[in-house]
């Protein structure tokens, strides 16, 4: 099983999301061929981007990203210090105020699990097919 972890405090949120996407691509490429097809790799990167963006937005700029390769799936885990859990809401098609991300993560994942942290905060784990 291959695993990697990166803990970051983002001073520039846009750069942090790009860095998380690069880290995910590097992790997937390090698995070797044919570990994961391009379409599935793009899905993993998309979920990483969404979860890290939300962690930065709601977690005050700090997050931990962990990626793990299991035999049949890739696990994306993002931890942030906010105890506020994501929730399904109606997407805003008029003002662009969001509401799409948590639906997308759930639709693309085999499973999405919310885990409150022992001292506050939370970890969101998404299992994505290989």
């Amino acid at each position: 099983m291959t695993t990697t972890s990166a803990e970051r405090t983002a001073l520039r949120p846009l750069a942090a999301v790009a860095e998380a996407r690069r880290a995910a691509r590097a992790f997937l490429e390090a698995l070797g061929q044919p570990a994961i097809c391009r379409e599935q790799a793009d899905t993993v990167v998309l979920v990483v981007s969404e979860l890290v963006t939300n962690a930065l937005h709601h977690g005050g700029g700090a997050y931990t990203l962990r990626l793990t390769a299991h035999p049949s799936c890739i696990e994306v885990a993002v931890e942030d210090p906010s105890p506020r859990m994501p929730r399904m809401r109606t997407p805003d098609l008029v003002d662009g105020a969001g509401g799409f991300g948590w639906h997308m993560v759930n639709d693309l994942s085999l499973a999405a699990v919310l885990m409150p942290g022992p001292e506050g905060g939370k970890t969101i784990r998404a299992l994505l097919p290989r």
Side-chain angles (χ1 to χ4, degrees):
M1 179 166 43
T2 302
T3 186
T4 189
S5 177
E7 187 165 338
R8 303 281 187 263
T9 299
L11 300 176
R12 297 172 299 148
L14 291 177
V17 175
E19 181 181 325
R21 286 193 300 261
R22 281 192 296 276
R25 288 239 182 253
F27 171 78
L28 296 171
E29 289 170 7
L31 295 176
Q33 296 299 327
I36 187 167
C37 74
R38 182 168 177 78
E39 182 178 318
Q40 290 307 108
D42 289 345
T43 299
V44 169
V45 172
L46 180 60
V47 169
V48 164
S49 183
E50 180 61 31
L51 293 178
V52 168
T53 297
N54 285 344
L56 291 169
H57 181 73
H58 299 289
Y63 72 94
T64 302
L65 168 65
R66 289 186 188 86
L67 300 163
T68 307
H70 299 285
S72 63
C73 66
I74 301 294
E75 180 179 346
V76 175
V78 176
E79 180 181 339
D80 72 60
S82 171
R84 187 171 159 204
M85 296 292 181
R87 60 182 172 81
M88 292 290 185
R89 59 189 180 109
T90 304
D92 183 348
L93 299 173
V94 177
D95 296 322
F100 296 93
W102 190 234
H103 288 282
M104 180 185 66
V105 169
N106 280 273
D107 288 347
L108 294 174
S109 301
L110 299 168
V113 179
L114 305 171
M115 298 173 32
E119 298 168 12
K122 67 182 166 299
T123 300
I124 300 174
R125 285 186 160 72
L127 299 178
L128 301 152
R130 281 182 86 159

